[in-house]
Amino acid sequence: MSNSRNILVRSLFCFMVLAPATVGAQNAAGAASGAQPPVAYASVSELNGILTQLQQTAQSMQSDLGKTRIEKWKTDASTKRQTLGNVESIQRNLQSALPETIAQLNNSPEDLGVSFKLYRNLDALYDVFGSVVESAGAFGSKDEFQSLGNDLNGLESARRAFGERMQKLTASKEDELTRLRAQVKTLSAAPPPPPKKIIIVDDTEPPKKPAKKKVTKPKAPATTTDAPPSGSAAK
């Protein structure tokens, strides 16, 4: 139990410190590239395995809780009422809150916020369900205690596996954030590039003027000089 609490505390601390900066960096990178980076297949496969185990355990818990006859337990009415209230709370969680969070995580497999939300839910479920199992061992039948005890082990196994995934995911996001910070630092330290000269080339040809036709002037007629009549002389 103490190890699970330590995982929760460390994951919460890392989430509060790293998540805002990491999400902001991822959003900036996604905006620059136009798309979010794809999630690795190994990460999705690991998550699917944990969620499959968790969903099977949740179904078994609902079935076994429905078969438990708390009203027949050999204990006082106050203990029965408290246990029945816990069972109702667990069933509401298994039917509503848990499936909703699992669906959100399927849509965003490496979302730190949703991951922490699911882990916190599993931690609360484990505490409340553990008290029901303990009461079943003290006041219920042997079969009831055996079935509910198996469910508790399955829930603890899923919670432990998911806690380990959160630790690895947080470390991965921290490494990614460190790389992004180094890139930003490198870019901010580099001198700005020189301004580029912009040369405007006008490649549009001006409209051609129509060629003027050469006008040929008519030649003037030749001028003739009348010769004086023969035999006459100037006096």
Side-chain angles (χ1 to χ4, degrees), residues 54 57 61 122 125-126 129 151-159:
L54 178 59
T57 300
M61 288 169 62
L122 294 179
L125 268 175
Y126 183 81
F129 189 64
D151 295 335
L152 184 64
N153 291 335
L155 182 61
E156 168 61 11
S157 177
R159 186 183 69 155

Side-chain angles (χ1 to χ4, degrees), residues 111-170:
D111 190 306
L112 284 174
V114 180
S115 296
F116 177 73
K117 181 180 178 181
L118 178 58
Y119 186 87
R120 184 175 57 185
N121 192 11
L122 294 179
D123 196 63
L125 268 175
Y126 183 81
D127 284 345
V128 179
F129 189 64
S131 68
V132 174
V133 175
E134 184 178 354
S135 297
F139 311 115
S141 67
K142 182 178 179 180
D143 291 340
E144 289 173 342
F145 176 68
Q146 183 68 39
S147 300
L148 296 176
N150 291 337
D151 295 335
L152 184 64
N153 291 335
L155 182 61
E156 168 61 11
S157 177
R159 186 183 69 155
R160 187 186 305 112
F162 194 75
E164 292 173 355
R165 171 181 168 81
M166 281 190 64
Q167 285 185 306
K168 292 188 294 184
L169 183 60
T170 303

